[in-house]
């Protein structure tokens, strides 16, 4: 009987685990209305820079989700402070760059999880599991009592009391 209960709880939790888990397979999202504007940068070597996180991951606004490249991947953003690895690189190349070719260091980068959102997803998932477990246990106890009562009634009828 206990095995049956454990199996029921396990199979009830499986769809909930799939429902509560975040979807992170969105790595190849490209915005359909924005073109590929990297043509002018093909002749310029890619500069290297290092970014340092300034805060926690946060959800992008609806406008940012449509326009900002860092929000396309996960829909979340993390503020960063970026610096050139070679401080003289930009000074040496600024005279050859047109206004259209100016390279701007990023202020945000994509991040997969927002801590507070994930916390509430876990709380919701555990709460649903607890409710299902309590409901299953109460049904099990009720059924055992009912079967015991029926067996007692059958025994009373056989004895003829």
């Amino acid at each position: 009987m206990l095995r049956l209960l454990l199996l029921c709880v396990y199979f009830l939790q499986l769809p909930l685990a799939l429902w509560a888990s975040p979807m992170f397979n969105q790595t190849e999202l490209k915005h359909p209305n924005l073109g590929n504007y990297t043509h002018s940068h093909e002749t310029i070597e890619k500069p290297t820079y290092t970014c340092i996180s300034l805060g926690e991951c946060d959800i992008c606004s609806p406008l940012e989700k449509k326009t900002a490249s860092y929000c396309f991947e996960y829909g979340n953003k993390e503020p960063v402070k970026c610096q050139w690895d070679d401080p003289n690189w930009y000074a040496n190349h600024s005279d050859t760059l047109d206004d259209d070719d100016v390279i701007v260091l990023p202020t945000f980068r994509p991040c997969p999880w927002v801590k507070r959102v994930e916390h509430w997803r876990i709380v919701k998932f555990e709460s649903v599991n607890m409710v299902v477990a309590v409901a299953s246990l109460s049904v099990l106890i009720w059924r055992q009592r009912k079967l015991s009562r029926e067996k007692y009634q059958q025994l009373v009828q056989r004895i003829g009391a």
Side-chain angles (χ1 to χ4, degrees), residues 51 92 124 133:
C51 297
N92 294 341
K124 184 169 45 171

Side-chain angles (χ1 to χ4, degrees), residues 8-150:
C8 289
V9 170
Y10 174 75
F11 284 114
L12 285 174
Q13 287 180 356
L14 186 61
L16 292 174
L18 295 175
W19 168 73
S21 65
M23 293 174 42
F24 294 113
N25 298 335
Q26 302 175 358
T27 56
E28 302 206 12
L29 288 178
K30 302 290 185 213
H31 199 277
N33 297 333
L34 296 178
N36 185 6
Y37 295 104
T38 60
H39 307 275
S40 60
H41 300 292
E42 289 177 359
T43 58
I44 300 173
E45 75 243 15
K46 294 285 183 186
T48 56
Y49 53 88
T50 306
C51 297
I52 301 169
S53 176
L54 293 179
E56 290 188 4
C57 190
D58 199 14
I59 299 172
C60 295
S61 68
L63 179 63
E64 285 177 320
K65 287 182 181 180
K66 295 177 184 176
T67 58
S69 62
Y70 51 81
C71 288
F72 293 161
E73 193 170 353
Y74 300 111
N76 304 322
K77 63 183 179 180
E78 178 182 19
V80 292
K81 179 182 179 185
C82 297
Q83 295 177 346
W84 296 105
D85 289 341
D86 180 13
N88 298 327
W89 184 92
Y90 190 74
N92 294 341
H93 289 82
S94 62
D95 55 342
T96 61
L97 298 175
D98 297 336
D99 288 340
D100 295 334
D101 292 334
V102 173
I103 299 173
V104 179
L105 292 175
T107 55
F108 291 100
R109 67 179 167 199
C111 54
W113 298 292
V114 178
K115 191 182 252 183
R116 61 184 160 83
V117 171
E118 291 301 315
H119 173 73
W120 284 112
R121 281 185 178 174
I122 290 172
V123 168
K124 184 169 45 171
F125 175 72
E126 292 295 329
S127 301
V128 168
N129 282 338
M130 185 62 70
V131 168
V132 168
V134 168
S136 299
L137 189 60
S138 63
V139 167
L140 174 72
I141 292 171
W142 171 79
R143 186 171 181 269
Q144 283 181 338
R145 287 181 180 173
K146 181 180 175 187
L147 289 175
S148 295
R149 223 176 300 125
E150 287 177 1

